[in-house]
Amino acid sequence: MRTVELGVSIAIQAGNVHEENPNVDLNIRLFDSLSDADQTIDLLNNIEGRKIGSGLSTDASRKDIAP
């Protein structure tokens, strides 16, 4: 909902704020630690969420998004 409510730029900032390194290479799939893997999946999920949010109208409800 952040993308719909706040716009893509702010959604990116909000999604990345708690990540240690939001600029990691998201193509890497072998990790040195569980936290590195967790960060990558968080960032990938944020990207997918923004794609979904970008295609919604500003008055979309949570029920509209996930019926």
Side-chain angles (χ1 to χ4, degrees):
M1 291 296 289
R2 292 192 192 281
T3 301
V4 173
E5 297 164 352
L6 305 172
V8 173
S9 179
I10 294 176
I12 290 170
Q13 292 175 38
N16 290 348
V17 73
H18 73 281
E19 302 298 346
E20 185 176 322
N21 180 6
N23 299 311
V24 297
D25 182 350
L26 297 176
N27 294 306
I28 294 174
R29 296 295 192 267
L30 295 174
F31 305 99
D32 294 329
S33 69
L34 185 57
S35 65
D36 289 346
D38 183 60
Q39 175 176 254
T40 296
I41 198 63
D42 281 352
L43 292 168
L44 291 169
N45 284 337
N46 291 347
I47 290 168
E48 291 304 309
R50 287 191 300 271
K51 286 180 188 175
I52 293 167
S54 295
L56 299 172
S57 68
T58 56
D59 62 345
S61 70
R62 293 184 188 273
K63 188 174 179 179
D64 294 331
I65 297 167

